[in-house]
Amino acid sequence: MKHYILSKRHLYKYSKILKRGFSSHCNKEWQSVVGLEVHAQLNTESKLFSGAENTFGGLVNNCVSLFDAAIPGTLPVLNRKCVELGVLTALALSCKVNEVSTFDRKHYFYADLPAGYQITQQRTPLANDGIINFQVYTPGVHKKPYNKSSKIKQIQLEQDSGKSLHDAELKRSLVDLNRAGAPLIELVFEPDLEDGEEAAALVKELVLIVQRLGACTGRMEEGALRVDANVSMHQAGEPLSTRTEIKNIGSVRGVAGAIRHEIERQRSILEDGGRIVNETRSWDATAKITIPMRDKEVVQDYRFMPEPNLPPLRVNLRTKEDSQDVISVPLIKDKMPELPEESRTKLIKHYELRPETAVQLVNEPVLLDFFQTITLVKARNPTKVANLLLNDLLTVLNKRKLDATCCPLTVNQLEDLVDLLLDKKISLDVCRKTIDELLEGTDSSAMDIIKQKGWLLVTDEAEIVNSCIKVIENNPKLVKQYKDGKTKVFKALLGILSKTTDNKLDMSIASEKLEELLKK
């Protein structure tokens, strides 16, 4: 065996080469790639292939037809309303609706899937090649909104499975088939997102769209919209690493949190020289981590086959002629409501709101309705109305842990508050206090509460001047500093004035009068 002895000069030379090689590799930043699959439950009275009631929260196994329970001899009958809502959603997302689509059986075996297969549209779906445009803006994360889009590979109709209920004490599992056969559309997105915030923004936009369309309630807490996220990493110019799938994420913030954690987990493994395992994971919202469910090292064979009991689904793409058997796509397109992106554009153009304000308003449909009603009176400043709704009303609702959709305040009460604020009869602080009082469920009007509490602003100039004189007399040191050129102490004097008068003075008048008195 030959031994090679390197001189110090050679060692230095090779160490530099190795260092340069390692640093160039390590300096490459890991980039994350995210793709989503979303299941949205269609807002119909009955299920996709049966007449059983399609509802949430019913008695266990109370909304189940013979077909849903896979009783031999029963056949599927396609629900027309489901097709209409699927087509409407596809059009709203700029998809190409297919004139002919077909149904397939996807075979897999779970206790909550009685037939042993799911009817779906894997090979020839209802629609293809769409796009969703949305704005990414999370206060505290982003300085300002930015535009993003994600391509939609396909939208397909399919039936939901049942639900397994696990009893830890009895150590057994029971099955509820109420959800079995519920109508879904599955939206498969291309992997073109970069992080959890973008994914959460996409899901939020999708929720807003399906709610506007009336296609889905969008209530993720009820399972009406469920998200699967595929996450993988790579370095610039290199292929994607093995991806992992996070199943059934049940909230918008959960989407952001689950993907953020999974990106960090994968980055840590790859930087330590490890290998990502192809697996399905779930999101633990309490611990805020993803946890393994099952590995996917062996590709599952679903044994897709054409559904023999359903003919191809045909739609009319050309004319507005509707019939009992064929749905007219142009007729459905005529029913398209204003979509969230159009609402944001209108808010920025017509009301001159900032883009981030427009994003926040559209994200809260109840507040958007309030805004549009209140600003019908032109004298009301749109920016100030939006600020009251987003900064004051939303702050009080969040403190009380109330969702904006549960806001008990009426438009009239909010209009009164806006007018009082714009007329400078109350301060912002009093506005929030009044909202808090109104949320108690009182029958009193905003003005009644304000008068009872003595919260009306003092606008009488003589009274304001007297209060200013008292502050000047009681704070000779600060007054001397001001007169010696330290004008910054003026804010301190204003603060004392506000505090000693319980914030009841109109501070725009008070500031002017205090400055006049100090300059004498």
Side-chain angles (χ1 to χ4, degrees), residues 6 28 101 138 169 232 339 357 370 376 379 423 454 465 490 492 510:
L6 296 174
K28 281 187 180 179
S101 57
T138 309
E169 289 185 13
S232 56
L339 296 174
T357 303
F370 281 148
L376 284 175
D423 293 341
V465 167
F490 182 72

Side-chain angles (χ1 to χ4, degrees), residues 386-398:
N387 287 341
L388 183 141
L389 294 171
L390 294 172
N391 298 336
D392 302 299
L393 176 59
L394 211 53
T395 299
V396 178
L397 288 172
N398 288 339

Side-chain angles (χ1 to χ4, degrees), residues 39 105-120 158-162 184 226 247 294 300-304:
H39 290 87
R105 289 185 179 183
K106 177 182 179 181
H107 293 82
Y108 59 97
F109 298 96
Y110 285 141
D112 52 21
L113 192 71
Y117 61 83
Q118 175 192 34
I119 301 177
T120 182
E158 63 183 32
Q159 59 179 170
D160 208 345
S161 60
L184 301 175
R226 307 191 293 274
K247 292 287 284 184
R294 55 183 179 270
Q300 191 167 358
D301 181 10
Y302 289 113
R303 294 185 299 116
F304 284 101

Side-chain angles (χ1 to χ4, degrees), residues 1-13:
M1 183 183 288
K2 292 183 179 179
H3 295 274
Y4 295 94
I5 300 171
L6 296 174
S7 66
K8 284 184 180 179
R9 183 170 62 84
H10 283 101
L11 282 170
Y12 177 73
K13 179 183 174 184

Side-chain angles (χ1 to χ4, degrees), residues 258-450:
I259 292 171
R260 189 187 307 119
H261 174 269
E262 185 59 18
I263 288 169
E264 291 306 315
R265 187 188 74 85
Q266 290 191 23
R267 181 184 282 119
S268 177
I269 290 170
L270 292 167
E271 285 178 350
D272 289 343
R275 186 176 70 90
I276 305 298
V277 177
N278 186 4
E279 62 182 344
T280 300
R281 301 177 72 86
S282 66
W283 170 239
D284 185 330
T286 305
K288 298 193 183 307
I289 57 170
T290 62
I291 53 178
M293 286 174 66
R294 55 183 179 270
D295 70 69
K296 298 174 79 172
E297 289 298 326
V298 179
V299 177
Q300 191 167 358
D301 181 10
Y302 289 113
R303 294 185 299 116
F304 284 101
M305 61 170 279
E307 169 54 58
N309 296 320
L310 284 166
L313 170 60
R314 298 177 186 276
V315 295
N316 177 0
L317 297 177
R318 295 167 187 81
T319 67
K320 293 184 180 181
E321 293 177 14
D322 214 358
S323 70
Q324 191 175 351
D325 299 321
V326 181
I327 289 167
S328 168
V329 173
L331 268 181
I332 292 174
K333 194 170 187 177
D334 287 346
K335 299 174 186 175
M336 188 76 66
E338 181 179 278
L339 296 174
E341 184 55 37
E342 295 172 70
S343 298
R344 280 190 288 268
T345 303
K346 189 185 287 184
L347 290 172
I348 294 165
K349 237 182 195 178
H350 294 203
Y351 297 98
E352 298 180 349
L353 296 182
R354 293 187 305 163
E356 51 267 41
T357 303
V359 170
Q360 287 178 283
L361 266 181
V362 174
N363 282 354
E364 298 289 352
V366 172
L367 299 190
L368 179 61
D369 288 343
F370 281 148
F371 175 84
Q372 289 172 331
T373 306
I374 293 168
T375 51
L376 284 175
V377 176
K378 290 182 181 177
R380 292 181 181 134
N381 183 308
T383 300
K384 289 185 177 178
V385 172
N387 287 341
L388 183 141
L389 294 171
L390 294 172
N391 298 336
D392 302 299
L393 176 59
L394 211 53
T395 299
V396 178
L397 288 172
N398 288 339
K399 268 187 182 178
R400 286 176 166 263
K401 295 182 179 176
L402 284 173
D403 193 82
T405 53
C406 305
C407 179
L409 268 64
T410 64
V411 171
N412 288 338
Q413 288 173 325
L414 288 168
E415 283 179 331
D416 289 346
L417 272 175
V418 167
D419 290 338
L420 287 165
L421 195 62
L422 293 177
D423 293 341
K424 296 186 177 179
K425 290 182 179 177
I426 60 170
S427 65
L428 272 171
D429 184 51
V430 166
C431 181
R432 287 191 185 186
K433 285 180 181 176
T434 309
I435 290 170
D436 206 34
E437 290 286 330
L438 289 168
L439 287 173
E440 291 289 345
T442 176
D443 293 330
S444 303
S445 68
M447 181 55 96
D448 289 339
I449 291 168
I450 289 162

